[in-house]
Amino acid sequence: MLLWLWQCAQTASAASDQELLAVGDARFPPYEYLTQDGKPTGFNIDLLQAIARESKLNIRSRLGQWHQVLDEFNRGDAQIIAIYASPERRDKYLLSDPIAITSYILVRNVNSPSMQGPSSLGDREVVVQASSYGESSLLQNLPHAQLIKAPSEWDVLRMVNENRYAYGYVTFQTAGYMIHKGDFSNVVLTGSEISSHPYVFAVAKGNTELLNAINNGLDKVKASGEFDNLYNRWFRDFYEENFQSILAVLAAILIAILLMLLWVGLLRYQIARVRSSLDREYQTRIQVEKHLARFAKTQQWITNFSNVGIWVYDYRTELLEINGTLADTLSLKTIALRLQLDEVLEGIRDADHAHLRRFFSIKIPNSKHICECLVITNDVPEKTLLLRGRLDEQDEQQAPGSRAVGILLDVTATHTIQKQLQRSERSMEVLVANIPGAVFRVQANQDLEVSFVSAGLKHIIGSETLPKSSPVKQPNLKSIIHPADWILVRDTLCHAADTNESFSFSHRVTDLDGNVRWVLNQGQGMIDNETGVGWIEGVFFDETDQILNAQRLDYLAHRDPLTGLANRYTFQQRAEQALQSASRNQHHLAFILMDLDNFKAINDSLGHNVGDEVLMQISTRLADTLRANETLCRIGGDEFVVVVPQVFQTDHLLPLIRRLREALTTPVVLSTGPLSLTTSIGVSIYPEDGTQVQDLLKSADTALYESKASGKNTFTFFTSEMGRQTEYRFWIETELRRALEQRQLHLVYQPQFRLDTLQLYGLEVLIRWNHPEAGFISPADFIPIAESAGLIQSLGHYVQETSLQQLHHWLDQGFEPGVLSINASVYELGDAGYYSRLIKLLEHYAIARELVTIEVTESIFIDDNPTLKAQLNSLVDQGIRLAIDDFGKGYSSLSYIKKIRADLLKIDQSFVQELGKTPEADALVMAMLSMANALDIRVLAEGCEDERTLEILKDYGCHLVQGYLLAHPMPADQLQARFLQAPLPESDTLG
């Protein structure tokens, strides 16, 4: 025992000398979190310091994001961490005695629906701390819930508090503490506790001494009472507040019971009052009966002065007793109120006399039956009167059935309205019969039984009547509504009937031939006040043509008309949706941009019809290689882009790119035979290469440009270096536009010499750019950019105009500079206006056409464009010389040399500078010279920079030479001073 105590003391002494690092979650109050000034605090921090004092340990605490500190502890960079105990962690770490029992609980936003229990969550989204025990616990207990991961439990509560998500999964103590502090007042504890676990300190396996020191210190802290003080300090207020909330609820229940008792007392008081009121009502009834007797006496007075005509007809005396109102209504001239029937007839038009006599002559067999007669007076304007009468069998002074009683009403206004209604009904019938639709009236029931439908139904379904599902059933709308739209139609119409609302919507119907047609359904729902039955009145309008046209327009707006693929507009929409999903779910996506190499040559040589057929076949192949969630769009002539919405690793794109390339490189089968294609591809990744659609498309285009520059038929992923190159190209393009406007460019001229005499043969025009800030910019940098940016025509026009003007000036001064060689880009030669503009300039400056040579590179003949060949030969026919520059560097072929009738071949300097150094270079140059001599074409060697090379060229029989050995490119004034002092001898001709 003493030995063990001595070892523990030695261990504690050694541990006290070494600083131990305890790490934890910076957002896990009240256990551990950072104060506003960044200092660690919380129950765990205070408890560790107490244990350190008792065990004489030197412990320093540091807090951070949970997954980072957990990784740090697992690497061994930290010695202590507070975690939940679980079987897996007991196998992985050494765990201390419990310092608390924590439980996980579901929380919800105050505006979110409450739950019966955790199982009612179903597959809803739940926020949980990433890499935490809560995440694994939630997966185990609620496997169908959708987990949204947050960096910390504080972030979980913040997201629920801001209603970004409805539910969260956190420890009960953390949620209660933050709600108590008021930081998250919109968070509600559901009471749905899912699991509880011991909360412990963990150390690495094998560090038993440190674990013993922590447990010994924890025992001492508990024994001294300091543990309880710390626990109460951090958790007491929260539990006391919950207890106070319970007391408040109990008080509210007690108050409710007291109010209920008070209400029962008031109810008894009201019953007593009602009983007293009934007694008073009985006394009142006795008084009313007395008044009824007096009322009978005044009945006669009411009869005489009533606004209604009253009559009594005696069948025995054939006399008619009337009141004053009836006499006034008939405009009778007598003042007597007991008249013969003929006297009454004086006020009625002759056509109604017989009708009225018949009314009074026929005894009504049943005293309860009322007979009516409608007559019209002789008044101007005439009045329509309604007589109503029945036998009076209740008169005790007369024999039963001996007289009739009745009234006379002036129904002129009502009769007029009825006539107007009849006219309106006839007009409505005409309108309904001719309306371009089907008017209907249906009952609001499960089948929408029809009580009326107009003949206009024939224009929609081909019949004026609805088909009946069975002989006993009423016709209904269900028989013609498209099955897919039936529930929508039934629910919309029944809802309109229940709410007395109008409706207007489109849906499909099926005609008698089974064809689907679109109708616009408009109408009003109503409830019959007497029967309570709901009805719907409406009209069908056939809008099939409008819907189909709209669908066609929508298709054209969202689809490429040639290939049927999504167009640029649809690409923008779907790419935006994919970006939002990637941002929300924190995953990558990719744009794969594809461009067919040399597709323009297909259109130029084989025709646009063949080009369209190629695009359609390629589109079908590409679409077949993609998965359902990947979008293929045609955004340009021969440009396609694929949106891959979910990318986990860049390498995962390689199989897709391989399939796309296979689909594109497989020969296209045409009527003229198979045609092989190649494709350049550029790839950009979100979010590394951009966070907006245009940024990602620009990055993919930059990568595509790099693929083109690397020889085509390859794919390239965008890099930041490409972005810098793109920025540089954009800067060059912008500055070049400014340079053209401000005339910052200038020309230099490099002399060309006859090799046998070293006399001046001509000049090659070269363009130079001295930027005011960046200095000299090489043509190799800005000319390719000018070609791609569409500036090469302006640049070439400047070179032509300026050089020909200078040549005119020299010739006018009597100098003979020889042949002027002007370089032409393939983009210039593809412009039909280039040739006419050149001819006009030669005519304007009065320059002989044989004094001008147009230099073209052999690469322009790769596409074998017959139009270009014809235009170049047209220049030769007009006397302008033609030279092939950089010969041997690329597409060397005898076939195109014969077809374009070149005057001069310029051997590329890469061969010239190797003369005498490699046998291959000598052999190639000699072969070029031999071929040119056989075709009667002159040869000029470029890049001659030393005497030895000059001598070799002489020995090989080269005709012309150009290079730094003889002369550098120079401005016009220097060239004039050095080489144009005297005309060439007359014996030296250009021919």
Side-chain angles (χ1 to χ4, degrees):
M1 181 68 180
L2 291 176
L3 178 61
W4 179 82
L5 290 175
W6 180 82
Q7 290 176 344
C8 290
Q10 291 299 318
T11 301
S13 176
S16 64
D17 295 335
Q18 177 185 1
E19 183 181 70
L20 301 174
L21 177 60
V23 293
D25 192 344
R27 289 188 170 182
F28 189 43
Y31 288 103
E32 51 194 21
Y33 62 99
L34 293 175
T35 62
Q36 292 183 352
D37 55 358
K39 294 181 179 180
T41 188
F43 173 74
N44 293 352
I45 308 303
D46 291 349
L47 181 59
L48 276 174
Q49 293 304 315
I51 291 173
R53 288 195 304 271
E54 295 294 340
S55 298
K56 302 188 184 309
L57 298 174
N58 184 9
I59 300 176
R60 177 174 63 87
S61 297
R62 182 166 59 76
L63 306 181
Q65 292 191 6
W66 174 245
H67 67 278
Q68 294 176 347
V69 299
L70 184 60
D71 290 341
E72 187 177 359
F73 176 74
N74 288 330
R75 292 194 308 268
D77 296 338
Q79 290 74 43
I80 304 172
I81 192 170
I83 59 174
Y84 300 114
S86 67
E88 294 83 6
R89 289 176 171 174
R90 292 185 186 279
D91 294 338
K92 189 174 182 180
Y93 312 119
L94 294 178
L95 306 182
S96 72
D97 295 334
I99 61 175
I101 300 298
T102 60
S103 58
Y104 271 94
I105 191 169
L106 287 167
V107 297
R108 66 178 178 87
N109 186 274
V110 68
N111 297 318
S112 301
S114 59
M115 298 175 299
Q116 297 297 325
S119 60
S120 62
L121 269 177
D123 58 351
R124 295 178 179 170
E125 294 179 334
V126 182
V127 194
V128 66
Q129 182 182 5
S131 303
S132 67
Y133 186 80
E135 179 184 353
S136 58
S137 173
L138 193 60
L139 286 172
Q140 180 179 357
N141 290 282
L142 298 174
H144 300 294
Q146 299 184 40
L147 271 61
I148 307 300
K149 299 179 183 181
S152 66
E153 290 197 349
W154 184 90
D155 293 293
V156 173
L157 292 169
R158 175 176 58 81
M159 292 179 181
V160 176
N161 187 67
E162 295 172 355
N163 205 16
R164 292 170 56 186
Y165 297 97
Y167 302 98
Y169 188 59
V170 295
T171 56
F172 172 74
Q173 290 81 354
T174 299
Y177 183 85
M178 296 308 297
I179 296 172
H180 168 66
K181 291 298 184 181
D183 293 339
F184 301 115
S185 57
N186 292 332
V187 179
V188 178
L189 301 175
T190 65
S192 302
E193 179 177 319
I194 297 180
S195 62
S196 59
H197 305 278
Y199 191 55
V200 299
F201 290 121
V203 300
K205 280 281 189 178
N207 202 347
T208 308
E209 295 178 352
L210 178 58
L211 179 66
N212 292 335
I214 291 174
N215 283 333
N216 292 336
L218 181 60
D219 292 340
K220 292 178 181 179
V221 171
K222 288 182 177 179
S224 66
E226 186 175 0
F227 181 92
D228 294 334
N229 293 335
L230 291 175
Y231 196 89
N232 291 334
R233 173 189 171 191
W234 289 102
F235 297 99
R236 180 180 58 191
D237 291 345
F238 162 61
Y239 288 120
E240 286 182 353
E241 182 174 311
N242 287 343
F243 180 73
Q244 291 172 2
S245 300
I246 295 172
L247 290 179
V249 172
L250 292 175
I253 294 173
L254 180 60
I255 293 172
I257 294 173
L258 293 175
L259 290 175
M260 181 66 73
L261 294 175
L262 178 61
W263 179 79
V264 171
L266 290 175
L267 183 60
R268 290 180 177 176
Y269 172 75
Q270 290 295 331
I271 292 173
R273 289 186 61 187
V274 171
R275 184 176 297 168
S276 175
S277 175
L278 290 174
D279 292 340
R280 289 194 298 272
E281 184 177 347
Y282 175 74
Q283 295 299 326
T284 302
R285 182 176 180 180
I286 296 175
Q287 297 296 325
V288 169
E289 290 177 350
K290 293 180 180 179
H291 288 302
L292 286 175
R294 291 194 295 271
F295 176 74
K297 296 180 181 180
T298 61
Q299 186 176 5
Q300 185 64 41
W301 180 87
I302 295 173
T303 300
N304 293 332
F305 294 95
S306 173
N307 290 328
V308 177
I310 300 175
W311 57 266
V312 177
Y313 182 71
D314 192 328
Y315 287 102
R316 294 171 300 175
T317 62
E318 295 185 352
L319 292 176
L320 194 65
E321 295 182 18
I322 62 175
N323 67 351
T325 303
L326 191 147
D328 293 339
T329 303
L330 293 175
S331 302
L332 298 177
K333 298 178 181 178
T334 178
I335 60 173
L337 298 181
R338 188 177 179 87
L339 307 171
Q340 293 291 332
L341 183 58
D342 290 340
E343 294 179 88
V344 176
L345 293 178
E346 293 178 0
I348 304 299
R349 70 178 182 178
D350 295 342
D352 290 336
H353 284 186
H355 183 45
L356 189 59
R357 287 182 185 277
R358 190 162 49 251
F359 175 79
F360 284 109
S361 64
I362 299 175
K363 285 190 176 183
I364 304 171
N366 186 352
S367 63
K368 295 182 179 180
H369 182 74
I370 297 176
C371 187
E372 293 185 347
C373 175
L374 198 65
V375 295
I376 299 176
T377 67
N378 288 322
D379 295 336
V380 180
E382 62 185 21
K383 290 183 287 187
T384 302
L385 305 178
L386 175 66
L387 280 85
R388 287 181 176 174
R390 64 176 175 81
L391 286 178
D392 184 10
E393 297 181 351
Q394 299 179 356
D395 193 333
E396 298 176 354
Q397 300 177 358
Q398 302 288 340
S402 61
R403 71 174 187 173
V405 296
I407 61 173
L408 180 142
L409 300 173
D410 185 347
V411 293
T412 304
T414 303
H415 189 64
T416 303
I417 292 173
Q418 288 177 344
K419 288 184 177 180
Q420 292 175 347
L421 287 175
Q422 290 172 357
R423 287 193 296 269
S424 297
E425 287 177 356
R426 288 194 295 271
S427 299
M428 183 60 69
E429 290 174 358
V430 174
L431 178 63
V432 168
N434 292 277
I435 196 171
V439 180
F440 65 87
R441 188 172 193 264
V442 300
Q443 187 174 343
N445 54 28
Q446 287 300 309
D447 292 334
L448 298 180
E449 294 178 352
V450 176
S451 64
F452 169 79
V453 64
S454 70
L457 184 67
K458 182 176 182 180
H459 301 297
I460 299 176
I461 69 168
S463 172
E464 294 183 359
T465 59
L466 291 165
K468 295 184 67 174
S469 57
S470 69
V472 298
K473 279 192 174 183
Q474 184 80 1
N476 54 65
L477 285 186
K478 187 176 182 180
S479 61
I480 64 170
I481 302 300
H482 192 280
D485 295 345
W486 165 243
I487 295 178
L488 167 67
V489 174
R490 184 195 63 194
D491 293 350
T492 302
L493 268 59
C494 290
H495 175 75
D498 294 339
T499 58
N500 286 326
E501 293 180 354
S502 61
F503 57 87
S504 178
F505 65 105
S506 296
H507 61 84
R508 291 165 292 181
V509 298
T510 306
D511 63 17
L512 296 184
D513 296 328
N515 299 317
V516 176
R517 302 193 67 81
W518 281 92
V519 295
L520 174 63
N521 194 344
Q522 292 182 323
Q524 173 75 41
M526 62 197 73
I527 296 291
D528 190 322
N529 293 330
E530 295 181 359
T531 63
V533 176
W535 293 89
I536 303 100
E537 294 179 350
V539 58
F540 290 139
F541 294 102
D542 190 345
E543 59 173 7
T544 303
D545 292 340
Q546 296 91 316
I547 292 291
L548 294 179
N549 288 335
Q551 290 175 349
R552 282 192 290 269
L553 290 174
D554 181 73
Y555 181 87
L556 293 175
H558 293 83
R559 292 284 173 177
D560 174 50
L562 176 63
T563 63
L565 298 178
N567 60 11
R568 181 177 284 272
Y569 175 76
T570 305
F571 161 73
Q572 183 72 27
Q573 287 182 323
R574 295 186 181 177
E576 290 286 358
Q577 294 170 359
L579 279 178
Q580 292 174 6
S581 175
S583 175
R584 182 171 58 254
N585 298 313
Q586 297 182 358
H587 60 67
H588 296 73
L589 67 79
F591 285 5
I592 302 176
L593 185 63
M594 298 167 285
D595 183 87
L596 301 180
D597 296 330
N598 305 316
F599 184 74
K600 183 177 182 297
I602 297 176
N603 283 334
D604 292 341
S605 59
L606 302 178
H608 287 274
N609 291 336
V610 174
D612 290 346
E613 176 63 26
V614 170
L615 290 175
M616 288 189 288
Q617 289 193 33
I618 288 297
S619 300
T620 302
R621 290 182 188 175
L622 292 175
D624 291 342
T625 65
L626 301 180
R627 293 176 294 187
N629 65 335
E630 296 166 347
T631 301
L632 173 65
C633 308
R634 182 188 179 205
I635 60 173
D638 59 338
E639 276 194 339
F640 301 86
V641 63
V642 175
V643 180
V644 185
Q646 193 167 10
V647 178
F648 295 102
Q649 292 183 9
T650 303
D651 293 346
H652 293 176
L653 289 172
L654 297 180
L656 173 59
I657 295 173
R658 188 180 303 113
R659 294 198 304 272
L660 292 172
R661 294 188 68 194
E662 290 174 356
L664 291 165
T665 55
T666 301
V668 177
V669 179
L670 302 172
S671 59
T672 57
L675 176 65
S676 297
L677 300 171
T678 61
T679 305
S680 298
I681 298 176
V683 184
S684 61
I685 306 294
Y686 167 89
E688 289 85 350
D689 304 334
T691 57
Q692 301 297 323
V693 173
Q694 295 306 318
D695 295 338
L696 287 168
L697 191 59
K698 179 181 177 182
S699 297
D701 189 57
T702 300
L704 175 64
Y705 180 88
E706 187 68 21
S707 295
K708 294 277 189 184
S710 300
K712 304 180 181 179
N713 195 26
T714 186
F715 66 92
T716 305
F717 284 85
F718 177 81
T719 63
S720 57
E721 178 60 29
M722 294 179 195
R724 287 189 290 271
Q725 293 175 359
T726 301
E727 292 176 0
Y728 177 70
R729 287 197 298 270
F730 179 74
W731 180 84
I732 287 287
E733 179 182 338
T734 303
E735 293 299 311
L736 185 56
R737 293 181 188 275
R738 185 179 292 110
L740 286 169
E741 294 173 359
Q742 300 177 0
R743 302 187 71 83
Q744 295 177 1
L745 303 167
H746 66 278
L747 301 183
V748 294
Y749 303 85
Q750 186 171 24
Q752 298 169 338
F753 300 93
R754 290 183 174 84
L755 195 55
D756 54 354
T757 63
L758 293 184
Q759 290 183 334
L760 185 65
Y761 165 79
L763 307 172
E764 180 180 6
V765 182
L766 302 172
I767 192 166
R768 295 293 183 264
W769 181 14
N770 285 317
H771 190 273
E773 297 176 0
F776 175 75
I777 298 178
S778 172
D781 290 338
F782 69 81
I783 287 180
I785 295 174
E787 291 178 338
S788 62
L791 298 174
I792 195 65
Q793 286 82 3
S794 299
L795 200 63
H797 184 61
Y798 167 77
V799 172
Q800 282 185 3
E801 174 79 23
T802 307
S803 62
L804 291 177
Q805 184 180 17
Q806 181 62 51
L807 179 59
H808 169 74
H809 173 73
W810 280 329
L811 294 174
D812 194 49
Q813 296 295 317
F815 297 112
E816 295 183 7
V819 178
L820 186 69
S821 294
I822 303 175
N823 291 281
S825 165
V826 64
Y827 297 94
E828 293 180 89
L829 297 173
D831 179 12
Y834 172 84
Y835 305 94
S836 59
R837 186 167 57 247
L838 176 60
I839 297 299
K840 287 181 181 179
L841 285 173
L842 292 173
E843 293 174 351
H844 176 73
Y845 290 112
I847 297 174
R849 297 176 183 179
E850 63 270 16
L851 292 179
V852 175
T853 295
I854 299 300
E855 291 191 14
V856 297
T857 60
E858 61 179 353
S859 61
I860 69 171
F861 304 107
I862 293 177
D863 296 334
D864 195 26
N865 189 329
T867 303
L868 180 60
K869 293 176 185 175
Q871 290 171 329
L872 290 174
N873 286 329
S874 175
L875 287 181
V876 176
D877 291 338
Q878 297 183 64
I880 298 173
R881 298 170 183 264
L882 187 64
I884 300 176
D885 197 10
D886 299 334
F887 184 74
K889 186 177 180 181
Y891 184 73
S892 300
S893 172
L894 291 175
S895 61
Y896 75 77
I897 295 176
K898 292 189 295 182
K899 291 179 181 179
I900 65 168
R901 304 186 348 240
D903 176 75
L904 180 68
L905 296 181
K906 299 182 69 175
I907 300 177
D908 187 70
Q909 62 181 353
S910 60
F911 297 101
V912 174
Q913 293 174 358
E914 290 295 315
L915 288 175
K917 299 178 182 178
T918 62
E920 294 81 3
D922 288 49
L924 285 172
V925 171
M926 292 177 66
M928 293 177 194
L929 286 167
S930 176
M931 176 193 68
N933 289 330
L935 296 174
D936 195 23
I937 299 175
R938 291 191 176 195
V939 177
L940 184 148
E942 294 183 292
C944 181
E945 298 183 357
D946 55 62
E947 293 287 351
R948 183 169 176 272
T949 302
L950 185 65
E951 292 302 321
I952 294 174
L953 290 171
K954 286 181 180 180
D955 293 340
Y956 288 168
C958 185
H959 309 105
L960 304 170
V961 68
Q962 175 181 349
Y964 286 176
L965 175 65
L966 302 174
H968 286 255
M970 60 191 72
D973 55 347
Q974 293 182 17
L975 185 136
Q976 177 178 326
R978 183 174 174 185
F979 293 100
L980 303 182
Q981 292 300 321
L984 291 172
E986 294 182 359
S987 59
D988 243 341
T989 64
L990 296 173

